[in-house]
């Protein structure tokens, strides 16, 4: 009832762990797989080890509205990450290797490494909103996006997912530049910041960060709906999904599967199993046999 | 969201260790921690060393962040969030509490919540011993590596002697990781239950970034106090991760 297929990869449920949340160590990813996730996206990994920004790197909005983070693409570097993946792959769910770089060659080499490590697909981080020279800064340059996606596509056999930024007026133009990708992942965090009025300064050491959690769900649903109308490429929806109803909303907008990140803060690692249960109950109540029937159901043509 | 608290009193406890007293309305359990932000400098985890209306952090000077905290004066402010994490579970029966160095900061409110625990306060040398006169309800034993106070030797050696002489229901411990590893071995050997509070590099403090993980457990949410899990943690005392997540 809950299984879905994206680019021929079978997921036991449509709930995939989003990149950057609890996916630095292999043992944690294994635990998430065992806690019921349908799949796992790794933390975004680059060519070299990177410490990320100093603390504070996370600001929690009151009333469970979401968080702002500027972790700063901390990662152990691609060479050290193979060991983590070896452990994560024991979980038996598809693993998607997320990579970031600043040139097409860099992305292609990282993707190749991920493929050698045994990932089921690669995800290109074209969208992190708080790292200079990477992520969104790369991902709003349409010419560069086209080069990156085509370089990676010719380097690896596994499906290539392009994770795009909502921080643009021209999402459709960027998606068109990434049209060689096998799937679009929508959305990364929304660029934002918080100031502590008592300290009279920005909270995050990097000042700017990315907003995630329930408050960005309408932005994500809009992005999925908008892109699903124009492209046949499968879409993975992400942004603020905290309940079964949120996941259903994204799928009705056009997502074939979804990713979950910040919800783990509010619901713990059991979020995957609980949200899967909520989707299943809703499907049963509404007489729908397969979750994949929801995909694009709400599109008004 | 941070709460701003005012430092009301600063106490010199031992070499490079100070307690900062403040008022705050939160209700922490022994073993829980807060994230302490010094704007413009750093943010780091601190266990609660005094619970009740007048609260306290007992801080050892280690690097830039804790040094900046040591330079603060009464009247200065701290930005805090928390309490976070899983604290100690207080169980009935005889208790052996073993604290090494600044680990005593974490154990102090626990000791005050136990009826009549046997306590080992350990440090490398006498002037690093913490809270030697604090506990009215406990049987306190001192241990120093160099023998400058109390038992001469490691906390684990004294603990082994005490475990030989008495049957304990629970060991509670916090301190340097080689000591914790030694205590886990002793718990196994003497078949005693154990709770240990662990430290790892922390970024978010709220269970999403994975920087504090040990064998797939997040120290900030699943810990910092662990019990049965300790016996299967092969990274304890062996593997740490740096800020990039790379194993060191
Ligand atoms: C849950 C928890 C509770 C804690 N409670 C207390 C407490 O009550 N009292 C107290 O004094 N400290 C406590 N600590 C440790 C404290 O957070 C660190 O000492 C502090 O972060 C160091 O910050 P810094 O900026 O001064 O040093 P940094 O500049 O960050 O580090 C200086 C050097 O110390 C090393 N270092 C940093 N942190 C640790 C660590 N945890 N263990 C070993 N080496 C480390 C670094 O690798 C570096 O070499 C706790 C830690 C955790 C995780
Ligand atoms: C702490 C944190 C770290 C993140 N790191 C990454 C990352 O390394 N790469 C990436 O593509 N997205 C990263 N993201 C974005 C998430 O994958 C996701 O797109 C976003 O958080 C929205 O989903 P959510 O509301 O379910 O969290 C991160 C998000 C958070 C909160
Ligand atoms: S500090 Fe981020 S998960 Fe524990």
């Amino acid at each position: 009832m809950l299984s879905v297929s994206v680019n021929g990869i079978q997921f036991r449920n449509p709930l995939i762990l989003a990149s950057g949340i609890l996916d630095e160590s292999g043992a944690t990813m294994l635990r998430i797989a065992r806690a019921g996730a349908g799949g796992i996206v790794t933390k975004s990994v680059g060519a070299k080890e990177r410490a990320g920004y100093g603390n504070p790197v996370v600001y929690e909005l009151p009333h469970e509205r979401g968080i702002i983070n500027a972790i700063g693409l901390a990662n152990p570097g691609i060479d050290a990450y193979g060991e983590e993946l070896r452990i994560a792959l024991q979980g038996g769910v598809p693993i998607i290797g997320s990579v970031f770089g600043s040139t097409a060659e860099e992305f292609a080499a990282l993707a190749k490494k991920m493929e050698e490590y045994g990932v089921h697909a690669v995800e290109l981080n074209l969208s992190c909103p708080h790292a200079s020279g990477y992520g969104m800064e790369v991902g709003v340059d349409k010419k560069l996006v086209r080069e990156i996606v085509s370089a990676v596509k010719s380097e690896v056999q596994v499906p290539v997912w392009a994770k795009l930024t909502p921080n643009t007026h021209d999402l459709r133009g960027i998606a068109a530049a990434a049209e060689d990708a096998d799937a679009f992942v929508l959305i990364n965090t929304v660029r934002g910041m918080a100031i502590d009025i008592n300290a009279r300064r920005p909270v995050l050491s990097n000042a700017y960060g990315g907003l995630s959690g329930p408050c960005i769900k309408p932005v994500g649903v809009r992005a999925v709906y908008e892109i699903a109308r124009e492209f046949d490429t499968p879409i993975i929806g992400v942004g603020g999904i905290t309940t079964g109803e949120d996941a259903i909303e994204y799928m009705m907008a056009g997502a074939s599967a979804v990713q979950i990140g910040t919800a783990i803060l509010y619901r713990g690692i059991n979020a995957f199993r609980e949200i899967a249960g909520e989707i299943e109950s809703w499907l049963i109540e509404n007489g729908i046999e397969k979750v994949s029937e929801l995909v694009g159901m709400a599109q008004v043509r | 969201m941070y709460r701003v608290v005012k430092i009301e009193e600063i106490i010199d406890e031992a070499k490079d260790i100070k307690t900062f007293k403040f008022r705050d309305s939160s209700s922490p359990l022994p073993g829980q921690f807060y994230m302490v932000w010094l704007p413009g400098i750093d943010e780091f985890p601190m266990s609660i060393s005094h619970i009740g209306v007048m609260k306290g952090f007992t801080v050892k000077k280690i690097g830039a962040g804790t040094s900046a905290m040591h330079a603060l004066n009464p009247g200065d402010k701290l930005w805090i969030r928390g309490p976070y994490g899983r604290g100690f579970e207080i169980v009935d029966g005889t208790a052996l509490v073993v604290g090494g160095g600044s680990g005593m900061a974490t154990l102090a409110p626990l000791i005050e919540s136990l009826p009549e625990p046997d306590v080992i306060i350990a440090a490398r040398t006498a002037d690093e011993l913490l809270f030697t006169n604090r506990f009215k309800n406990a049987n306190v034993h001192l241990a120093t590596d160099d023998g400058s106070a109390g038992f001469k030797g490691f906390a684990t050696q004294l603990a082994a002697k005490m475990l030989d002489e008495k049957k304990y229901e629970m060991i509670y411990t916090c301190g340097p990781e080689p000591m914790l590893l030694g205590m886990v071995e002793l718990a196994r050997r003497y078949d005693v239950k154990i709770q240990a509070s662990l430290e790892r590099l922390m970024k978010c403090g709220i269970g999403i970034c994975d920087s504090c993980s040990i064998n797939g457990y997040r120290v900030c949410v699943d810990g910092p106090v662990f019990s049965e899990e300790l016996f299967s943690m092969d990274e304890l005392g062996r593997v740490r991760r740096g800020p990039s997540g790379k194993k060191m």
Side-chain angles (χ1 to χ4, degrees), chain A residues 22, chain B residues 202-212 218 220:
Chain A
L22 293 184
Chain B
M202 282 187 187
K203 292 190 175 182
C204 73
I206 51 178
I208 56 167
C209 76
D210 208 19
S211 66
C212 66
R218 297 160 296 171
C220 67

Side-chain angles (χ1 to χ4, degrees), chain A residues 20-301:
Chain A
I21 294 99
L22 293 184
D23 47 12
E24 184 168 284
S25 80
T28 310
M29 289 187 270
L30 187 59
R31 184 167 168 217
I32 301 267
R34 292 184 175 151
I40 289 173
V41 186
T42 69
K43 142 172 282 216
S44 293
V45 179
K48 287 206 206 76
E49 179 180 8
R50 221 177 118 100
Y53 301 127
N55 282 358
V57 291
V58 169
Y59 176 78
E60 196 179 337
L61 300 178
H63 313 303
E64 304 201 344
R65 282 178 296 172
I67 61 178
I68 310 175
N69 92 82
I71 300 280
L73 294 174
N75 80 98
I78 191 75
D79 291 333
Y81 205 68
E83 190 188 339
E84 310 298 342
L85 273 173
R86 189 179 50 74
I87 298 167
L89 283 161
Q90 295 165 13
V93 304
I95 308 277
I96 295 95
S98 172
V99 294
F100 73 93
S102 48
T103 63
E105 296 71 44
E106 209 179 338
F107 268 100
L110 290 163
K112 182 85 197 155
K113 266 278 169 90
M114 283 287 191
E115 182 174 52
E116 286 167 16
Y117 290 151
V119 299
H120 300 82
V122 293
E123 185 176 289
L124 310 180
N125 181 346
L126 301 168
S127 42
C128 175
H130 53 69
S132 118
Y134 295 110
M136 174 181 107
E137 291 189 9
V138 171
V140 293
D141 179 338
K142 283 175 254 180
K143 185 166 159 286
L144 189 52
V145 165
R146 191 172 287 283
E147 279 172 31
I148 291 168
V149 175
S150 96
V152 174
K153 276 299 291 175
S154 53
E155 190 71 30
V156 300
Q157 312 295 312
V158 294
V160 176
W161 296 3
K163 186 169 180 184
L164 307 181
T165 179
N167 302 299
T168 169
H169 67 284
D170 188 19
L171 185 58
R172 275 183 258 180
I174 293 170
E179 68 189 346
D180 283 351
D182 300 292
F184 297 134
V185 182
L186 298 166
I187 56 177
N188 207 314
T189 51
V190 178
R191 191 167 155 90
M193 75 180 291
I195 287 170
D196 187 290
I197 60 169
N198 297 305
R200 305 176 189 189
R201 60 182 300 135
V203 173
L204 300 176
S205 73
N206 184 57
Y208 310 109
L211 182 61
S212 64
C215 61
I216 68 165
K217 192 185 69 171
V219 181
V221 172
R222 181 272 300 168
V224 170
Y225 187 92
E226 198 180 353
I227 296 305
R229 298 174 84 74
E230 311 250 335
F231 297 84
D232 293 328
T233 310
I235 296 171
I236 316 296
V238 48
I241 296 168
T242 313
T243 65
E245 291 178 2
D246 296 336
I248 291 166
E249 185 179 352
Y250 265 94
M251 293 186 77
M252 285 188 173
S256 301
V258 298
Q259 294 177 0
I260 291 177
T262 305
I264 293 174
L265 169 61
Y266 305 123
R267 304 191 63 172
I269 283 174
N270 286 332
F272 295 95
R273 198 156 278 145
E274 290 172 12
I275 294 172
E278 289 159 15
I279 297 174
E280 194 165 291
S281 307
W282 193 91
L283 293 177
I284 292 167
E285 264 168 47
N286 288 273
I288 297 174
E289 274 171 29
K290 288 183 63 60
V291 70
S292 51
E293 292 172 38
L294 298 173
V295 179
M297 191 181 258
Q299 284 281 348
V300 179
R301 299 282 171 186

